[in-house]
């Protein structure tokens, strides 16, 4: 930052405000003559005085406005000057490229400096940031150029003026979970289909929503990049790739780090924030990546995967140090025997409480350092041999050789740490006991880490926090001790010691060379070799207590809305009630309670790692990431009378279901993965289904047997529908194809491809066309030949459901934001846009151009009257899960709807539907006696 030498700060001159105040005073003290103004309002003197008063008032207002404008302009200038000073002298270490010295990476964010009490408005001496600049300790004394007196004075004036922030910053738009999944889906679609199952994602969206600046977010990106590469057996540094404009969603490829589904699932076993989003985008992302939970929070991952045991498991490190050495092709025993090692011995490392020996070996990847740490001997040890004191074997100056078995008088160590180079040049860490067994934490009696909550040294994060330069150069004391005390050891031992302990100069060069190589590799990750190491810094930030604002951002709500939701829930009050009154909860309590929080706030189904299904043969993901256990209903197809239904089940079956009796009539078994689409012929004789196994099937409901199968889709078959005559089936897939095939034998009639991910299909009851929804478009195809003849595009969220009216004149489609569009066939624009759902639309039915019902992930069924001013007529709220199927019954007085828990409910709607004006005496048909009425 060389610009400091030419920076000039001009003092802001105060305006002459007292004169304005004097004018105000004279104006306010002037006699108004109220009665005379009323009685003599048209006299020349009255007019003259009134004009004079108005002129004076106008001048006062102009002066006040000028003073206010001046004050605002002065504040803006002061803020700009302060920002310039801070960016010139502080930003390089406190924000640039995510640098986080002193745990501060927001030095140019003026409001945050005040909020976090680095600056105290109106009090320069009470502002730690200013004090350090004034006394010359910040920037550090060796940094050049130095802040000038004018710059320090400008900073002081800014604080004395109340630390104004200058121009107000508009609140940033929140990134919703739907936005995040849509971003990931768009990114996946840019990749080869076969490569998608290797992709996984990390998200910082909740931190973006919490207001963190890009500099602060960059520290998280740096920490993530460093950690994933520190958990890699790949030969190169490959950093996560940002896939959105805000750089809050970052993609990795499992192959970059030599990971597979087993490792990712091991990560997910620890993940407390797993929520299964019930949206088209989320489902498509799961299918593409072959995993139920392909996205995890980056801050959680950094804070958890950097600590044992997850740290060890992701790196796939064995249970003993001997096995680790085999893994990296080191034979430490033979190296010591053949004197192929370099040792450094000393007292007081700062981590270990007593002696420590460092020992360097060459490894297959470069270097391997291990330590021998010693517990402190008791002060009253009295062991005598032939009347003399015996030196303690924990004293490395008396016993510098070892370990046991390699010499007659070995030292007695209590454990140690191993640091070894990975193939990409970064370092990995391993803690071991005295018998070389793997340890998650080092014994407090031997080593400690003051940065950890329990002061214990944890494998991974503690090592990274300490070894910021890789190998910390340490001066050997053993060789110097031997040279100055030649009679302390036998000559034969002394020769071996001199060979193993080459002395300070040689050992220091080895350590400095290893540290240099490490620093060069760290730079490739975007992180810095710094006292405030990125991974440990982010771990500490994640582990701080959760307040209302932080919690709200993590569940996707505003602070006020989250406070209200807590107050209205006994469960949330019990778990996190302190948040609504300005308190905090520990991170451990928050993570423990997150399952209940997610259920209460209806964030989605909870991810359960123990329910993962079989993996693909190449171990890149799950065979069926959409599979569900127990009763589930991914889609319903109701018979016209509402008493029978077909259910697409997550347990690989198709259920032919008795709605009134709430039991299966038949189970149609044949799919080898979860079923997501079903359809019935109008006469109820045949069924169609599509599933995650990539097949669409036709079934004879009389026998319950499969009558035909179509195998030429290559991904989830997400939609099926019958042609009006029941002889043909239309099926659509996430592979972008729609196929028209025969019900009796599966023979293909026509195929439309490259439509985009197909989410829903409806066939015109009049037999003219097929409506196909994709994330970005509604496409109309000719039913006779599959040719596209109309396309409606540009939607705010992926379309998720579609229906056509019985007369074929109207189309209704809903999307993942809960919006419903109604088109009249042949028109260019949607005739109606219906909003009201608080979640995505999963099912829709349209009676005509007027009456529509929709079911959503917000667990509601809604009735709409497009002719009314308030188009949403009523909402039915008795479902307890996403409403995945809806239908108008043929009697005209009821609907029936089914949800994801296999619960179907009728709803009496004749109280809302008014008979047309041209038929006032027409009676509505009576509802079937056996279907009970249900009210909203």
């Amino acid at each position: 930052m060389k610009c400091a030498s030419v920076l000039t700060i001009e003092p802001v001159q105060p305006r002459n405000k007292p004169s304005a105040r004097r004018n105000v005073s004279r104006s306010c003290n002037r006699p108004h003559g109220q009665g005379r103004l009323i009685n003599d309002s048209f006299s020349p003197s009255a007019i003259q005085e009134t004009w004079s008063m108005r002129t004076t008032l106008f001048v006062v207002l102009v002066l006040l406005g000028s003073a206010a404008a001046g004050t605002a302009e002065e504040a803006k200038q002061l803020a700009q000057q302060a920002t310039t000073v801070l960016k010139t002298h502080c930003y390089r270490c406190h924000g640039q490229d995510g640098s986080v010295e002193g745990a501060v990476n927001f030095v140019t964010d003026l409001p945050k400096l005040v909020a976090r009490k680095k600056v105290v408005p109106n009090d320069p001496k009470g502002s730690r940031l200013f004090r350090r600049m004034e006394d010359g300790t910040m920037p550090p004394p060796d940094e050049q150029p130095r802040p000038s007196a004018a710059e320090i004075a400008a900073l002081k004036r800014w604080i004395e003026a109340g630390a104004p922030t200058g121009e107000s910053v508009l609140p940033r738009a929140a990134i919703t979970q739907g936005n995040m999944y849509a971003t990931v889906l768009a990114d996946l679609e840019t990749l080869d289909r076969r490569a998608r199952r290797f992709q996984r994602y990390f998200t910082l969206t909740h931190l973006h929503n919490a207001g963190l600046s890009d500099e602060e977010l960059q520290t998280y990106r740096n920490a993530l990049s460093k950690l994933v590469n520190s958990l890699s057996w790949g030969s190169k540094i490959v950093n996560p790739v940002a896939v959105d404009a805000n750089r809050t969603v970052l993609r990795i490829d499992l192959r970059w780090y030599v990971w597979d589904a087993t490792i990712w699932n091991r990560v997910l076993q620890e993940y407390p924030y797993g929520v299964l989003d019930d949206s088209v985008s989320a489902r498509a992302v799961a299918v593409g990546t072959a995993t139920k939970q392909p996205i995890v929070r980056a801050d959680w991952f950094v804070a958890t995967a950097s600590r044992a045991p997850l740290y060890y498991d992701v790196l796939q490190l064995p249970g003993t140090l001997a096995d680790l050495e085999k893994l990296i092709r080191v034979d430490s025993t033979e190296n010591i025997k053949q004197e192929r090692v370099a040792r450094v011995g000393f007292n007081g490392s700062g981590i270990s409480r007593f002696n420590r020996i460092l020992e360097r070996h060459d490894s297959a990847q470069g270097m391997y350092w291990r330590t021998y740490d010693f517990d402190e001997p008791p002060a009253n040890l009295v062991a005598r041999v032939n009347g003399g004191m015996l030196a303690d074997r924990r004293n490395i100056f008396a016993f510098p050789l070892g370990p046991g078995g390699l010499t007659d008088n070995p030292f007695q160590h209590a454990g140690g740490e191993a640091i070894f180079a990975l193939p990409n040049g970064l370092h990995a860490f391993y803690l071991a006991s005295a018998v070389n067994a793997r340890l998650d934490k080092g014994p407090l009696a031997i080593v400690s880490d003051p940065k950890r909550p329990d002061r214990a040294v944890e494998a991974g994060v503690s090592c990274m926090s300490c070894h910021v330069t890789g190998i910390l150069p340490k001066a050997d004391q053993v060789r110097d001790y031997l040279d100055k005390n030649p009679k302390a050891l036998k000559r034969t031992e002394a020769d071996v010691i001199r060979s193993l302990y080459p002395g300070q100069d040689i050992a220091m060069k080895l350590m400095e060379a290893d540290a240099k190589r490490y620093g060069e590799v760290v730079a490739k990750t975007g992180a810095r070799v710094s006292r405030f190491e990125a991974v440990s810094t982010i771990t500490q930030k994640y582990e701080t207590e959760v307040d209302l604002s932080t919690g709200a951002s993590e569940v996707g709500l505003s602070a006020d809305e989250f406070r209200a939701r807590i107050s209205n829930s006994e469960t949330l009050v019990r778990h996190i009630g302190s948040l609504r009154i300005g308190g905090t909860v520990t991170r451990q309590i928050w993570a423990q309670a997150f399952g209940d929080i997610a259920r209460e706030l209806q964030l989605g189904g909870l991810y359960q790692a123990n329910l993962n299904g079989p993996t693909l043969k190449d171990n890149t993901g799950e065979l069926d990431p959409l599979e569900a256990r127990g009763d589930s209903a991914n889609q319903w197809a109701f018979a016209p009378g509402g008493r029978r239904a077909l259910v697409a089940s997550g347990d690989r079956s198709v259920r032919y279901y008795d709605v009134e009796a709430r039991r299966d009539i038949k189970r149609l078994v044949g799919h080898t993965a979860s079923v997501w689409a079903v359809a019935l012929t109008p006469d109820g004789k045949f069924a169609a289904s599509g599933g995650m196994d990539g097949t669409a099937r036709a079934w004879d409901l009389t026998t319950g047997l499969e009558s035909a199968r179509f195998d030429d889709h290559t991904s989830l078959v997400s939609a099926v529908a019958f042609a009006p005559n029941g002889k043909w089936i239309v099926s659509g897939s996430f592979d972008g194809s729609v196929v028209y095939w025969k019900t009796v034998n599966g023979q293909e009639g026509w195929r439309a491809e490259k439509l985009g991910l197909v989410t829903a299909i409806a066939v015109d009851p009049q037999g003219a066309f097929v409506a196909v929804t994709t994330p970005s478009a509604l496409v109309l195809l000719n039913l006779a030949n599959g040719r596209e003849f109309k396309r409606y595009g540009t939607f705010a969220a992926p379309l998720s459901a579609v229906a056509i009216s019985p007369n074929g004149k109207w189309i209704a489609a809903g999307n993942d934001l809960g919006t419903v569009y109604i088109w009249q066939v042949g028109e260019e624009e949607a005739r109606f846009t219906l909003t009201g759902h608080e979640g995505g639309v999963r099912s829709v039915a349209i009676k005509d151009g007027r009456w529509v019902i929709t079911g959503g992930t917000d667990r509601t069924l809604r009735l709409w009257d497009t002719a009314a001013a308030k188009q949403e007529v009523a909402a039915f709220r008795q479902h307890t899960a996403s409403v995945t199927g809806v239908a108008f019954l043929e009697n005209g007085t009821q609907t029936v709807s089914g949800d994801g828990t296999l619960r179907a409910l009728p709803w009496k709607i004749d109280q809302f539907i008014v008979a047309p004006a041209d038929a006032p005496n027409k009676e509505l048909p009576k509802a079937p006696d056996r279907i009970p009425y249900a009210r909203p």
Side-chain angles (χ1 to χ4, degrees), residues 150-173:
E151 289 171 319
I152 294 174
L155 197 63
K156 184 178 182 181
R157 283 195 302 274
W158 169 66
I159 297 173
E160 289 175 335
T165 59
E167 296 180 352
S168 59
V169 179
L170 295 176
R172 62 170 54 144

Side-chain angles (χ1 to χ4, degrees), residues 741-786:
W741 51 278
K742 283 186 177 180
T743 304
V744 294
N745 58 16
Q747 180 181 345
E748 183 176 313
W750 53 256
R751 175 188 291 263
E753 294 187 304
K754 298 182 180 180
L755 295 173
L757 184 140
V758 176
T759 60
I761 284 176
V763 173
D764 169 25
Q766 305 303 311
F769 63 93
V770 181
V772 179
T773 60
T774 72
S776 59
L778 168 66
V779 182
L780 303 187
L781 307 177
N782 189 305
L783 185 60
N785 54 29

Side-chain angles (χ1 to χ4, degrees), residues 102-107 109-121 123-124 126-131 158-159:
V104 175
N105 51 0
F106 48 86
V107 76
D109 190 332
L110 303 187
K112 202 161 287 181
L113 287 175
V114 173
R116 300 189 185 178
K117 300 181 180 179
K118 305 298 180 183
V119 168
V120 180
D123 185 7
S127 301
R128 186 167 182 267
L129 182 149
F130 176 77
R131 290 201 314 270
W158 169 66
I159 297 173

Side-chain angles (χ1 to χ4, degrees), residues 30-33 36 44-54:
R30 184 183 184 93
H32 285 213
R36 183 166 51 81
S45 60
I47 292 173
Q48 183 177 1
E49 184 168 350
T50 301
W51 177 257
S52 177
M53 289 178 62
R54 290 178 177 175

Side-chain angles (χ1 to χ4, degrees), residues 569-622:
S569 167
E570 292 183 7
T571 299
L572 296 185
V573 168
R574 184 169 64 253
H575 283 307
I576 55 173
S578 60
L579 297 185
R580 66 186 180 126
I581 56 174
T584 61
V585 296
T586 65
R587 174 57 69 176
Q588 293 90 334
I589 291 295
W590 175 262
Q592 183 188 69
F594 192 81
D596 287 337
I597 295 170
R599 276 187 288 267
E600 285 294 297
L601 299 179
Q602 299 182 14
L603 301 181
L606 294 178
Y607 170 78
Q608 295 175 278
N610 62 328
L611 297 183
N612 284 345
T615 58
L616 295 168
K617 291 181 179 179
D618 57 8
N619 198 27
T620 54
E622 293 180 61

Side-chain angles (χ1 to χ4, degrees), residues 462-476:
S462 294
C463 308
M464 294 180 194
S465 175
C466 177
H467 293 276
V468 294
T469 59
I471 299 302
L472 301 177
K474 288 289 184 180
D476 174 59

